[in-house]
Amino acid sequence: MSTFICIRAGLCLSSIVRRGLSETRFYSMFVSSGKKSVNGVDLYYQRTGDGKHTVLLLPGALGSGQTDFAPQLEKLDKRCLTVVAWDPRGYGRSWPPDRDFPMDFFHRDAKDAVDLMQSLGFSRFSLLGWSDGGITALIAAALNPTLIQKMVVWGSNAYVSEEDVQIYRSIRDVSLWSERMRRPMEEMYGARYFRETWERWVDGIIQFTHNPKGNICREMLQMISCPTLIVHGAKDPMVPSFHPQFLLQNIKGSRLHVMPEGKHNLHLRYASEFNTLVEEFLSE
């Protein structure tokens, strides 16, 4: 149970760095960070590297660039890549405002992400999306074909099945989580905001079952034209294998790479293997 909780929320047990605009020593390297006003919200971002190929990292539920992508911010090749990580509205250091989950929250995140990148001066970039961030990436790529160069998604789904609902409901009550799994999020958000926001997320993702076939973005997959790599952990307890297969079947020209020992957080647990896979795909 605690494994489900940790990995879907995008947790890792790294320390919290200072808020605000700064040039700080981060993960043994320099990363610039700041906020941009986008669509009425101050969105926090981090940026490192000076390569010609720009990549945006999109975190999972309640996640942030810091909690979800430490090994990528540190180890992806900065000579070839410019790496940007963002905290979606209501998450990480883009809070406040409080996070809500209307039916269009993934579309809203997709617009925020693309508009943030354009406000930072990037006219074309690739997407690396994990879990909820992968769903956001799918929508962003479908709606912005001229902007998105390539895409990598993992731990993501285009619809919500009854099997998914059972998983989500089993992790809704954070009081059942171990202290080790709760503590990092409570330190970031405070116990009350974390609990209430997590419950809202569970309810928000389950609401898609009211759509035909549990639709989140099924019909949009055929609109994706960029080269797409789908990565799946064979031991992922949060995302059944029929989800990456559905993406593969419906995104033209996509390919699927399965990591036999990978779980939901495969990019953290097997960071070196994952980073190499991504770098090779982006350099093709």
Side-chain angles (χ1 to χ4, degrees), residues 44 72 168 173 204 239:
Y44 181 84
Q72 285 68 52
Y168 302 149
D173 186 355
V239 179

Side-chain angles (χ1 to χ4, degrees), residues 215-250:
N215 182 49
I216 300 175
C217 59
R218 297 169 63 111
E219 78 290 350
M220 303 183 75
L221 301 182
Q222 62 184 352
M223 300 164 58
I224 296 172
S225 58
C226 65
T228 300
L229 174 63
I230 304 156
V231 184
H232 180 63
K235 297 183 178 180
D236 189 339
M238 289 298 303
V239 179
S241 61
F242 53 76
H243 283 304
Q245 288 294 335
F246 185 83
L247 298 181
L248 179 66
Q249 293 163 9
N250 288 275

Side-chain angles (χ1 to χ4, degrees), residues 108-126:
R108 182 181 63 186
D109 282 349
K111 178 172 173 52
D112 284 349
V114 169
D115 290 352
L116 171 64
M117 291 299 282
Q118 292 188 303
S119 75
L120 292 173
F122 299 112
S123 59
R124 190 164 168 80
F125 48 92
S126 293

Side-chain angles (χ1 to χ4, degrees), residues 71-143:
Q72 285 68 52
L73 285 166
E74 180 179 3
K75 296 295 186 180
L76 284 175
D77 189 348
K78 309 307 182 304
R79 298 166 300 175
C80 299
L81 301 174
T82 295
V83 181
V84 179
W86 81 307
D87 295 3
R89 62 171 68 203
Y91 290 170
R93 274 159 261 172
S94 295
W95 169 57
D98 287 355
R99 178 72 181 199
D100 61 352
F101 299 93
M103 282 295 292
D104 67 343
F105 74 88
F106 283 118
H107 285 73
R108 182 181 63 186
D109 282 349
K111 178 172 173 52
D112 284 349
V114 169
D115 290 352
L116 171 64
M117 291 299 282
Q118 292 188 303
S119 75
L120 292 173
F122 299 112
S123 59
R124 190 164 168 80
F125 48 92
S126 293
L127 303 174
L128 269 64
W130 176 36
S131 197
D132 275 22
I135 301 173
T136 300
L138 294 170
I139 295 170
L143 295 178

